[in-house]
Amino acid sequence: MAEALIVFASLTGNTEEMADIIAERLEQHGVTTDVVEVLQADAEELLEYEAVLIGSYTYGVDGVLPDEMLDFYEDMGQLDLSDKVFGVFGSGDTFYEVFCAAVDHFEKQFINCGAQQGGTSCKINLNAEEEDIIKLHALADGIAEKLKAK
Ligand SMILES: Cc1cc2nc3c(=O)[nH]c(=O)nc-3n(C[C@H](O)[C@H](O)[C@H](O)COP(=O)(O)O)c2cc1C
């Protein structure tokens, strides 16, 4: 089984950059990682990996998922992910009333699917600054550790 898959949605590149930061850190731990934009991904692909991560920005006045994430979100809800380690991250903007709600939605969805949380989900204001990169690395480190313990 392949090791880690990161599926992301990113309009202006902030979440995509976070996906790359996490992938690089996982690779440093020796975890082979594929990074795929959500429109190129099928939820069933999650089943082919030991660790699965979703990165999503948040969009809309009430902090909903981006349109391109909706099908993936629903389809993953049908899967049994009980043998997977998961991670969630995403960019938002603290200007909005509901900050980074997409991260909460995906965290809940993974838990509903029975997956084991690899580390604290990362909600990041706009692009990742130094202190955010530390959090993204910590998420990757947690996932790598849980994979090793399997
Ligand atoms: C119309 C619009 C609505 C948005 N709504 C929210 C929101 O409700 N909550 C939030 O945290 N961010 C919101 N954002 C901010 C984006 O999530 C933020 O710009 C993010 O950095 C985009 O990530 P990306 O570069 O990966 O596309 C909104 C942005 C736009 C343009």
Side-chain angles (χ1 to χ4, degrees):
M1 189 179 280
E3 292 191 299
L5 173 66
I6 303 177
V7 177
F8 72 90
S10 185
L11 205 59
T12 59
N14 293 330
T15 307
E16 181 171 12
E17 187 188 40
M18 292 166 203
D20 290 339
I21 290 168
I22 293 177
E24 196 182 328
R25 186 74 166 195
L26 285 170
E27 293 275 351
Q28 282 169 4
H29 283 289
V31 178
T32 307
T33 304
D34 293 332
V35 181
V36 184
E37 204 274 328
V38 67
L39 291 176
Q40 313 303 320
D42 190 292
E44 295 246 321
E45 285 167 49
L46 296 174
L47 299 172
E48 295 164 23
Y49 292 82
E50 290 174 87
V52 288
L53 295 91
I54 305 283
S56 178
Y57 68 99
T58 296
Y59 197 79
V61 280
D62 47 1
V64 291
L65 293 176
D67 280 351
E68 65 271 35
M69 272 295 185
L70 293 174
D71 286 347
F72 190 93
Y73 176 84
E74 284 200 4
D75 292 347
M76 75 177 270
Q78 310 301 315
L79 303 175
D80 174 5
L81 300 177
S82 54
D83 61 340
K84 313 295 177 198
V85 175
F86 83 85
V88 184
F89 59 95
S91 177
D93 187 336
T94 50
F95 165 83
Y96 292 90
E97 207 176 309
V98 187
F99 177 57
C100 280
V103 171
D104 294 326
H105 288 308
F106 275 107
E107 185 180 293
K108 281 192 196 131
Q109 190 73 313
F110 271 123
I111 290 168
N112 286 342
C113 295
Q116 181 194 3
Q117 190 156 9
T120 307
S121 300
C122 298
K123 294 181 176 181
I124 289 167
N125 187 39
L126 302 171
N127 62 310
E129 307 278 356
E130 216 168 304
E131 77 254 25
D132 304 313
I133 293 172
I134 291 169
K135 290 181 195 161
L136 293 167
H137 283 172
L139 175 58
D141 294 350
I143 286 169
E145 248 173 59
K146 292 213 164 54
L147 287 182
K148 273 184 206 139
K150 272 187 141 200

